[in-house]
Amino acid sequence: MTIDSLAEAGFAGTTLAGIAGRAGVSSGLVAHYFKDKNGLLEATFRALAFRHAEAVRMRMLNAETPRERVQAVIDGSLSREEIDARTCTAWLAFWGQALRHPALCRVQRAYQSRMISNLTHALRAFHSREEARKTAAVIAAMIDGAWLRGALSNWAEIDPESLREMLTRVVDDSLARGTVAPQKAPARVRPVNPATGETIAEIPVTTAPEIDRMVEKAKAGQAEWAALSGTERGRVLRRTSDILRDRNDALAEIETRNTGKPVMETKAVDIISGADCLEYYGGVAATVAGQFLDLGAAAFGYTRREPLGICAGIGAWNYPMQIACWKAAPALACGNALIFKPAEQTPMTAIELEAIFREAGLPEGVFQVAQGYGETGRALISHPDIAKVSLTGSVPTGKLVMGEAARGLKPTTLELGGKSPLIVFEDADLDNAVSGAMMANFYSTGQVCSNGTRVFVQRSVLKAFMDKLTARTAKLRIGDPFDPETQIGPLVSATQRDLVMGHIDRAKREGVKLVMGGKRLTGGTYDHGFYVEPTIFQAEDDCAAIVRDEVFGPVMLVLPFDSEDEVIARANATEFGLAAGVFTRDLMRAHGVIAALQAGTCWINDYNVTPIELPFGGYKQSGIGRENGLAAIEHYTRIKSVYVAKGDVDAPY
């Protein structure tokens, strides 16, 4: 109510009595808690500052590199939820009064100090302490100045997306011109077992000079590989697929130890899905071709599909083997070489895949694994002989990768995050719908980019749906991922656990109804792992942050709706567009709704099924390009057009 009053009446026109009237309570009650107008305004300013701090903190928890942490401050400060007209007006009112009111001034100084501290800490990776603080002050000034300019013009002169892009370019250019070398990243990658917290390996980080040597090896191998026929390349891919299937159980156990995913999942999906991909592109390899064009009596033409050369693949930690295969199979089928960098949290099975490729007959250097952190990825992407980059990761990482690739005009394929809708209409088979919702939120402990985390249920069947959902969720078995009966394992890391708990705690503070779960599991073996209970929230509207933000954990949000038009509009009201699902017995309605949804990968009466034959990818900020299916061939080849004259040259000279 205070923010509404500030937005409509301004600072001077806002009174204690007016705010009390808006809230429908007595002025005396408001005065009892806040003493006077200034006390209430201070509390409101603190709430706004706290919300901003939480928005930045949640993004920083998800940031993996110092550069991403700088970006988290920019994106959190210039996000859509921070700069809506109502909030902007309130901020402007507070900023205008901060110097006159000591209490407001203290809040303002705390806000500024927190921003400088976050930026300085991240920038220490690039500068000395003194230079980091100076650079932090400049970035903070640009954020506040750009925000103030936009707010004063009611965002008519500039939009927040443009602001973020502008500041991102300025920061990148500034860091690129920096005279102080970045601090050294760790010399080794030390993955842990998420169930126990124990380190399971120590792997040397691939340095920039080593990337140079890998590229040189890839050049030689790629020339040999591209000279083979598609049929010959296909045989190698199919042999690799066969070996993966033969060793499925052993590889699945490595994947479970590294990711924490239940072995019942990794044995059924993770390795097999990679093998399926290699088998599919093993068959496609012989069909990669151009076309013949009859140009009449004078000439004919044809096109050739040629490999790009050496490609870079950067993987995520949720499906390490599957993602490595999804990137390697189409790239290799087209005659390219691939240097793959797995996520530093989950590097183990990529090592195994490299050895299996060589065993299957792949020439040396055609598939190599580079290990490390953000700097290893940057060295790989920026190498002048890398022709294309494919990333699976978060939206902030995708923007950084695309920006780095753009410096060399390199094409990118980006498979990024999502906040996907799953819509349950009143005529749906509710048992199937509940199965779909659970698969869309709890499989792989909720760590799936395409998850349908916004479950929209038509109001007339909401209670029946919730009864079935809670009863089945209560029976989920959580524990040791190597126990074949376990259905929910730990999250991949302590950082991810803290990030998920941060989203849960924030939703509780914002008043979202917690239906079940919502706790970190402790006691016994849980104390050493990264366990969070399967959690279900229910909200009446789309105002809370958890409706917008990707959680990437076992957290489901159920939202009621009344009409088809309403749910389509709400489902599309997101910056993401990776996936969507619809449950209904009315197939005409299903096809119509799917056509209206802004999402690249959709399901009708199922969810998260990803056959290799179908392209996979998203709209909007969920990515660029497609993986799988014949569509991926477009991203790993270039077309050469050839004109062939059949007669003399008709020249006027």
Side-chain angles (χ1 to χ4, degrees):
M1 296 303 106
T2 306
I3 293 172
D4 286 343
S5 179
L6 287 168
E8 294 175 20
F11 191 91
T14 294
T15 65
L16 203 65
I19 296 168
R22 288 173 179 268
V25 299
S26 71
S27 300
L29 182 63
V30 178
H32 172 73
Y33 285 104
F34 300 104
K35 294 185 179 179
D36 54 20
K37 170 184 169 179
N38 287 343
L40 178 55
L41 292 174
E42 179 188 353
T44 306
F45 197 15
R46 287 188 184 279
L48 279 177
F50 179 77
R51 190 181 77 173
H52 170 268
E54 281 291 279
V56 172
R57 186 179 75 85
M58 298 303 292
R59 284 173 167 82
M60 292 190 76
L61 277 173
N62 204 31
E64 298 175 355
T65 66
R67 178 62 186 86
E68 289 179 19
R69 287 192 283 276
V70 173
Q71 194 65 36
V73 177
I74 295 173
D75 291 347
S77 301
L78 297 173
S79 64
R80 277 288 181 190
E81 53 266 32
E82 289 299 322
I83 57 177
D84 65 275
R86 173 174 166 271
T87 304
C88 277
T89 306
W91 272 108
L92 284 173
F94 285 127
W95 278 20
Q97 299 297 322
L99 295 179
R100 296 187 179 92
H101 297 271
L104 299 185
C105 187
R106 286 194 296 271
V107 179
Q108 179 69 6
R109 286 176 179 170
Y111 157 85
Q112 292 174 320
S113 297
R114 187 183 298 112
M115 182 183 290
I116 293 291
S117 176
N118 284 334
L119 289 168
T120 301
H121 181 73
L123 291 165
R124 283 296 310 279
F126 303 95
H127 297 298
S128 65
R129 183 185 298 275
E130 182 179 354
E131 286 298 317
R133 188 163 182 82
K134 288 181 181 178
T135 304
V138 172
I139 295 173
M142 288 191 294
I143 291 172
D144 289 342
W147 184 92
L148 184 59
R149 179 73 182 183
L152 288 172
S153 69
N154 200 25
W155 299 100
E157 295 180 345
I158 193 166
D159 60 88
E161 284 78 13
S162 298
L163 276 179
R164 292 198 296 270
E165 291 174 8
M166 176 194 71
L167 285 174
T168 297
R169 288 196 298 270
V170 170
V171 170
D172 280 339
D173 290 343
S174 174
L175 295 180
R177 293 194 303 268
T179 57
V180 181
Q183 292 180 353
K184 290 185 178 179
R188 292 181 178 273
V189 173
R190 294 181 173 87
V192 303
N193 181 342
T196 65
E198 296 174 338
T199 300
I200 58 177
E202 291 199 7
I203 304 168
V205 165
T206 305
T207 64
E210 288 170 331
I211 292 287
D212 292 338
R213 291 192 287 273
M214 293 174 77
V215 169
E216 288 304 311
K217 187 186 292 186
K219 282 183 184 178
Q222 191 267 333
E224 177 186 347
W225 178 244
L228 298 177
S229 68
T231 300
E232 291 171 308
R233 292 197 296 270
R235 290 193 190 110
V236 174
L237 297 183
R238 291 194 298 274
R239 280 198 294 270
T240 306
S241 173
D242 291 341
I243 296 172
L244 288 179
R245 294 183 194 281
D246 289 344
R247 300 177 190 170
N248 177 69
D249 287 0
L251 292 168
E253 289 177 2
I254 295 172
E255 202 81 309
T256 289
R257 185 172 292 107
N258 196 179
T259 64
K261 295 163 66 165
V263 75
M264 66 174 290
E265 288 186 24
T266 56
K267 286 185 177 181
V269 174
D270 290 55
I271 312 305
I272 295 298
S273 61
D276 287 347
C277 186
L278 288 159
E279 183 178 20
Y280 173 78
Y281 284 106
V284 168
T287 71
V288 177
Q291 61 181 149
F292 173 84
L293 298 145
D294 190 338
L295 302 176
F300 66 88
Y302 65 90
T303 62
R304 292 171 50 88
R305 282 203 171 274
E306 298 181 347
L308 300 173
I310 306 170
C311 303
I314 300 176
W317 44 256
N318 56 339
Y319 279 89
M321 177 65 88
Q322 182 194 80
I323 290 170
C325 292
W326 279 20
K327 297 190 186 305
L332 301 187
C334 295
N336 300 288
L338 181 76
I339 300 176
F340 181 73
K341 190 196 91 65
E344 61 267 25
Q345 298 93 335
T346 54
M348 304 304 294
T349 45
I351 299 171
E352 302 294 326
L353 182 61
E354 182 176 11
I356 290 170
F357 267 128
R358 292 288 292 124
E359 184 179 340
L362 191 71
E364 186 176 1
V366 176
F367 180 85
Q368 300 175 77
V369 176
Q371 300 281 7
Y373 301 87
E375 287 307 308
T376 300
R378 185 185 291 270
L380 183 58
I381 297 164
S382 63
H383 196 287
D385 291 322
I386 293 295
K388 180 243 170 37
V389 182
S390 177
L391 165 79
T392 300
S394 67
V395 172
T397 302
K399 291 178 179 179
L400 294 176
V401 166
M402 190 173 184
E404 189 65 45
R407 296 175 186 273
L409 293 179
K410 300 173 185 180
T412 57
T413 299
L414 303 176
E415 197 275 283
L416 308 176
K419 191 67 180 178
S420 301
L422 189 159
I423 302 171
V424 180
F425 285 99
E426 59 189 356
D427 66 339
D429 181 312
L430 287 189
D431 289 320
N432 281 339
V434 168
S435 294
M438 294 179 73
M439 290 294 291
N441 284 273
F442 300 144
Y443 200 74
S444 293
T445 319
Q447 299 167 125
V448 183
C449 54
S450 56
N451 268 356
T453 51
R454 292 182 296 150
V455 180
F456 292 95
V457 182
Q458 200 150 23
R459 198 178 300 274
S460 60
V461 294
L462 178 62
K463 184 180 185 305
F465 178 89
M466 293 300 293
D467 289 345
K468 290 176 180 289
L469 174 64
T470 53
R472 289 174 59 176
T473 301
K475 296 177 182 178
L476 290 175
R477 293 184 291 273
I478 310 165
D480 178 6
F482 277 99
D483 183 341
E485 299 298 313
T486 293
Q487 296 168 304
I488 304 290
L491 291 161
V492 73
S493 65
T495 298
Q496 190 63 21
R497 177 200 62 206
D498 293 344
L499 179 64
V500 171
M501 287 306 304
H503 283 291
I504 291 172
D505 292 341
R506 185 179 184 183
K508 291 178 183 177
R509 288 194 303 270
E510 291 183 346
V512 184
K513 179 183 177 183
L514 177 64
V515 177
M516 64 187 307
K519 297 178 183 176
R520 174 187 170 185
L521 291 171
T522 57
T525 57
Y526 290 140
D527 284 340
H528 303 291
F530 314 128
Y531 291 89
V532 172
E533 287 181 314
T535 299
I536 301 172
F537 283 102
Q538 184 178 336
E540 285 300 313
D541 55 41
D542 302 339
C543 295
I546 199 168
V547 181
R548 301 183 299 270
D549 297 340
E550 185 178 30
V551 177
F552 225 66
V555 181
M556 182 192 306
L557 177 65
V558 180
L559 298 151
F561 73 93
D562 294 301
S563 70
E564 182 178 312
D565 289 343
E566 171 206 344
V567 77
I568 289 171
R570 291 170 64 190
N572 287 336
T574 172
E575 64 183 0
F576 299 111
L578 183 54
V582 172
F583 278 83
T584 177
R585 287 187 174 93
D586 184 343
L587 289 183
M588 292 300 291
R589 164 184 270 176
H591 292 306
V593 171
I594 287 292
L597 293 175
Q598 298 166 0
T601 304
C602 299
W603 295 273
I604 295 174
N605 293 329
D606 211 330
Y607 205 89
N608 267 351
V609 182
T610 54
I612 299 301
E613 295 85 350
L614 279 173
F616 181 83
Y619 290 3
K620 298 189 279 190
Q621 294 204 34
S622 285
I624 295 173
R626 292 295 181 268
E627 297 191 296
N628 297 342
L630 295 178
I633 300 302
E634 300 281 343
H635 302 298
Y636 286 101
T637 56
R638 51 191 171 191
I639 294 179
K640 178 179 287 181
S641 297
V642 182
Y643 177 95
V644 182
K646 293 192 286 187
D648 296 331
V649 176
D650 183 13
Y653 308 109

